[in-house]
Amino acid sequence: MAPRQTSIQKRVRAVILLASVVVLFVTAAAFVTYEAITFRTRLVRNLSTLASVIADNSAAPLAFKNKAVAEEILSALKAEPDIEAAVLFDDNGGVFATYPKALPPALLPRTLEGAGHHFRDGALILFQPVLQENKVVGSLYLRNSFQGLYAQLWRYAVIVLFVLLGAFGAALLLSSVLQSRISEPILALTQAARRITANRDYSIRVPKLTEDELGVLTDAFNRMLLETQENQARLGEQARLLDLSTDAIIVCDWQGTVLFWNNGAEELYGWSRSEAIGKRKHELLQTIFSEPLEEIAKILERAGRWAGELIQTRRDGAHMHVSTRWVRDPAPSNTPARILITDNDITLQKQAEDLMRSEAKRLDALVEQRTATLQETIGELEAFSYSISHDMRAPLRAMQGYAKALLSDYGSKLDAEAKHYLDRIFRAANRLDLLIQDVLAYSRVAKGEIELHPIDLERLIDDIVSANPEFHAPQARVVVEKPLHRMLGHDAYLTQCVTNLLSNAVKFVPDGVVPEIHIRTEAIDGQVRVWFEDNGIGIDPLHYERIFQIFGQVYPEKKYGGTGIGLAIVRKAAQRMNGEVGVESNVDGGSRFWLILKEVNYDNHESRVTPGRG
Amino acid sequence: MVICISFVIAPASAQVSKEYQLKAVFLWRLAQFTEWPSDAFERADSPIVICVLGENPFDGALNAAVEGETAHGRKMTIQQHRVIEQARSCHILYIAGAGPRQARALTASLGNRSVLTVRDVDGPASAYDTMVSFITEQNRIKLLINPKAAMAARLVLDPRLLRSAEIIGE
């Protein structure tokens, strides 16, 4: 037995002992009570049986007056020590024989009574008639003292006492064995709980000793420990995270009193944790709210969260912009609600925003100013280039005219070499003229206001083809897949576009190939796309953009001719008609130029469109 | 065979002695402690016949004693006989005033009949002639019983009777 018993051991043992003793005591009491109650009945029955036997045996001695035999019969009562006296009366009521032989007169019955028994003077007294042939031949008197009853009860008491002592001892021994089965798992739990409370060591586990409810309890305890351990680890992690955060993380009660203040808050506001806790946050930081505090409280109550911007004052007096987010903590029902707050310094961000806004404004103004200057310069340049080009044609015509005149009037006087030089001058002049014409065309396209009308593209193409011999057989073949969609455009511009695209198509073909151009249209989303598909040399996708720039010719001019301005004019014209131009091609499979313009809409076909410049 | 008996004539007295009053009681009470074979009775309610052979020493005491008494549910009647031949249907036969030889002859003449024979004797030595003998010692009457003789006559004696008497035999 352990020297110092814990209370659960004592209690379990006490329960076992108490139960044992109560059971034993009740059993013994019931037994003794039963004995006491039935003793008299049994005594009477035993004594009656004895009396019957003796009376029966006494009939003959009485009949033949044999006192000696009668006394001998009575002396058999020696076997019953509780029988104090026996008297045999003859039929006249005289004493015939007694037991013991020398019976004290006090034990003699005062009167001879009829058959029956009485409890009297601490003894059972019994009268039994002696019958022979149904006739009373005498009477037997027996006196049985209660000494036996008392002695037996006393014996029972002693036995019960010993049984109780023995059982108590046995229960004591058993209980020390049995209590350990219940108390050991509980003690293990208790010890573990003490150690955990003392050391906050949640890695402790309780060994499972039984498979019963205590085992289940132990398992549940261990599971809770595991969860607590995990929670502890998670809490530690979160606490470290909280301190890692540069944001201020603050917990307030519903009145705004600070309950928690992390490292971030210390750094952000300059108030230490011990200074901040217990103070009202908005008083400490002289908070300027963007909306009334009562409104915020209402939103928190309703939605559980609120976010906004605050202006607060650091400990050193500096004002700062703070982006804040508040969450009403769903606290357990019996504790008052709390507010979890994260504050994020956005002062720098605010300043940057302001700076950027003013800078953007400044830049906008600058851009506007520069654009205006540029526009002006462009206009001047365009006017300049137009007038230069225009003015250059007069001397160029003179060069052409005089070169021609020289060749025709003095051709016979010139040798072959001089003729060759003249021819080069004449061709160069022609080329320069073409160039100037194109530059003029480009300049025309690029300036001035135009009006868009519905255009009959089929008629326009027919006119162009019939006016230009190089576009029809045998030099080339132009196939128009009629009908073509009608579109909004400008006659002159569109003629320029189509002519330039067809010129390109017939120009850039491999040697010995007859150029073939397919023209078709498709409607897409209120627009019309015109396709020009040729069987030419095609264009490398690398050059798709370049070919639409002025002098963006890809191939050496010697081979194919051209000024390198044609596609630039097409793009410009397309842009002036609010359209687009583009190309798709394979190097081997020819090119597919496209032109997108507005589809004719009868509601607005008369509307004036003012295209932008450039 | 006719056996002649010589009787001792007792002195006539008006008052029967106390001794014979007691013997009369003993005599009928023997019936209560003796069982006869069933063929000893003609009918179920036939009385037990107690006979006195020879001079009747009981006078009226025997008649008075059996008055109203029963044994084995049967009534008892008293008969007085002179010769043994008359006494053959008796159940108890008290042989009065016969000497030992005479008594022996009388009982022998009864053969194995179920008759309980009784007589007075002076001492145990002469008690073998009848089944039951009365002997007077110190003013007390004792019974001497010869169970073998009774058994031979198919009479069953109550053990209580045997216990209250003195048993004789070899």
Side-chain angles (χ1 to χ4, degrees), chain A residues 132 174 208 239 419 442:
Chain A
Q132 182 66 29
L174 268 178
K208 188 178 177 182
K419 272 186 192 166
Y442 184 83

Side-chain angles (χ1 to χ4, degrees), chain A residues 505-520:
Chain A
V506 299
K507 204 179 287 165
F508 298 101
V509 286
D511 288 337
V513 171
V514 177
E516 188 171 318
I517 301 109
H518 287 260
I519 301 172
R520 58 185 177 86

Side-chain angles (χ1 to χ4, degrees), chain A residues 129-203:
Chain A
V130 181
L131 296 174
Q132 182 66 29
E133 285 289 324
N134 299 323
K135 280 209 151 177
V136 177
V137 295
S139 191
L140 178 66
Y141 160 83
L142 289 177
R143 181 188 167 95
N144 192 320
S145 88
F146 284 162
Q147 291 306 315
L149 172 65
Y150 297 142
Q152 195 162 356
L153 284 178
W154 183 243
R155 270 197 305 280
Y156 284 152
V158 171
I159 289 168
V160 163
L161 188 69
F162 275 103
V163 167
L164 274 176
L165 282 175
F168 188 79
L172 204 64
L173 279 176
L174 268 178
S175 69
S176 65
V177 176
L178 292 179
Q179 60 89 11
S180 71
R181 292 197 189 167
I182 293 168
S183 61
E184 261 174 35
I186 294 177
L187 285 179
L189 280 171
T190 316
Q191 277 171 11
R194 279 211 193 97
R195 261 164 42 219
I196 288 158
T197 320
N199 307 334
R200 297 195 172 274
D201 177 5
Y202 296 101
S203 65

Side-chain angles (χ1 to χ4, degrees), chain A residues 56 61 63 66 73 132-133, chain B residues 26 29 32 72 160 163-164:
Chain A
D56 195 45
N66 194 333
I73 287 168
Q132 182 66 29
E133 285 289 324
Chain B
F26 281 19
R29 279 185 174 165
Q32 289 185 327
H72 307 300
R160 296 177 295 173
R163 193 177 174 190
S164 298

Side-chain angles (χ1 to χ4, degrees), chain A residues 338-412:
Chain A
R338 302 180 307 168
I339 309 166
L340 312 183
I341 300 171
T342 64
D343 285 350
N344 182 7
D345 183 4
I346 54 166
T347 311
L348 281 176
Q349 195 183 322
K350 276 273 169 196
Q351 287 169 355
E353 273 175 22
D354 288 349
L355 193 68
M356 273 172 66
R357 218 171 288 132
S358 63
E359 196 62 13
K361 216 175 275 174
R362 199 178 64 79
L363 281 175
D364 276 352
L366 198 64
V367 165
E368 211 167 300
Q369 185 194 338
R370 294 256 167 94
T371 307
T373 318
L374 271 176
Q375 291 283 3
E376 205 174 316
T377 314
I378 287 168
E380 281 168 10
L381 274 174
E382 278 175 352
F384 176 69
S385 68
Y386 183 81
S387 59
I388 286 259
S389 303
H390 195 265
D391 292 350
M392 273 163 66
R393 288 194 77 183
L396 190 61
R397 290 239 175 73
M399 280 167 68
Q400 278 176 312
Y402 286 112
K404 210 173 175 180
L406 193 60
L407 207 54
S408 59
D409 293 353
Y410 300 94
S412 53

Side-chain angles (χ1 to χ4, degrees), chain A residues 578-595:
Chain A
N578 290 338
E580 281 178 70
V581 69
V583 66
E584 297 173 6
S585 103
N586 294 319
V587 174
D588 294 328
S591 304
R592 293 158 43 125
F593 281 88
W594 51 262
L595 180 66

Side-chain angles (χ1 to χ4, degrees), chain A residues 207-480:
Chain A
K208 188 178 177 182
L209 299 173
T210 56
E211 289 297 330
D212 53 11
E213 287 83 350
L214 286 170
V216 174
L217 189 63
T218 307
D219 276 347
F221 189 76
N222 283 337
R223 223 171 12 254
M224 273 160 54
L225 277 179
L226 179 67
E227 277 170 26
T228 310
Q229 196 179 4
E230 287 168 357
N231 285 342
Q232 198 75 6
R234 214 171 302 137
L235 277 178
E237 216 173 85
Q238 285 170 357
R240 285 191 292 280
L241 270 178
L242 282 182
D243 277 341
L244 201 63
S245 169
T246 54
D247 286 357
I249 297 173
I250 298 163
V251 180
C252 292
D253 67 13
W254 203 246
Q255 279 69 44
T257 310
V258 174
L259 304 171
F260 175 80
W261 188 263
N262 79 333
N263 286 358
E266 288 186 336
E267 280 174 28
L268 192 63
Y269 297 121
W271 295 100
S272 76
R273 188 166 300 164
S274 53
E275 288 167 328
I277 285 177
K279 304 238 171 55
R280 291 215 171 168
K281 187 199 172 214
H282 52 267
E283 287 169 3
L284 184 70
L285 301 174
Q286 301 164 40
T287 307
I288 301 166
F289 289 96
S290 56
E291 50 196 307
L293 198 52
E294 299 79 55
E295 286 301 311
I296 296 173
K298 273 183 204 160
I299 293 169
L300 268 184
E301 283 280 14
R302 197 176 58 240
R305 52 177 62 235
W306 173 79
E309 290 184 6
L310 311 171
I311 298 170
Q312 307 198 117
T313 309
R314 281 175 54 92
R315 189 185 195 181
D316 59 17
H319 295 294
M320 58 195 309
H321 285 268
V322 163
S323 162
T324 190
R325 285 193 296 165
W326 294 17
V327 174
R328 185 163 57 92
D329 191 23
S333 53
N334 54 350
T335 58
R338 302 180 307 168
I339 309 166
L340 312 183
I341 300 171
T342 64
D343 285 350
N344 182 7
D345 183 4
I346 54 166
T347 311
L348 281 176
Q349 195 183 322
K350 276 273 169 196
Q351 287 169 355
E353 273 175 22
D354 288 349
L355 193 68
M356 273 172 66
R357 218 171 288 132
S358 63
E359 196 62 13
K361 216 175 275 174
R362 199 178 64 79
L363 281 175
D364 276 352
L366 198 64
V367 165
E368 211 167 300
Q369 185 194 338
R370 294 256 167 94
T371 307
T373 318
L374 271 176
Q375 291 283 3
E376 205 174 316
T377 314
I378 287 168
E380 281 168 10
L381 274 174
E382 278 175 352
F384 176 69
S385 68
Y386 183 81
S387 59
I388 286 259
S389 303
H390 195 265
D391 292 350
M392 273 163 66
R393 288 194 77 183
L396 190 61
R397 290 239 175 73
M399 280 167 68
Q400 278 176 312
Y402 286 112
K404 210 173 175 180
L406 193 60
L407 207 54
S408 59
D409 293 353
Y410 300 94
S412 53
K413 295 172 185 169
L414 293 176
D415 62 11
E417 201 175 1
K419 272 186 192 166
H420 175 66
Y421 288 154
L422 267 178
D423 189 47
R424 299 260 318 245
I425 290 169
F426 184 68
R427 273 174 35 205
N430 275 351
R431 233 185 92 66
L432 186 60
D433 189 33
L434 272 178
L435 196 61
I436 288 167
Q437 276 183 45
D438 274 356
V439 169
L440 282 175
Y442 184 83
S443 298
R444 265 200 307 277
V445 168
K447 68 178 186 186
E449 284 191 4
I450 58 163
E451 256 177 57
L452 300 184
H453 304 282
I455 305 286
D456 182 354
L457 190 60
E458 287 174 23
R459 185 192 53 77
L460 189 137
I461 291 171
D462 283 348
D463 289 350
I464 292 170
V465 171
S466 56
N468 293 282
E470 71 263 33
F471 294 158
H472 46 78
Q475 284 98 324
R477 207 162 87 84
V478 174
V479 182
V480 179

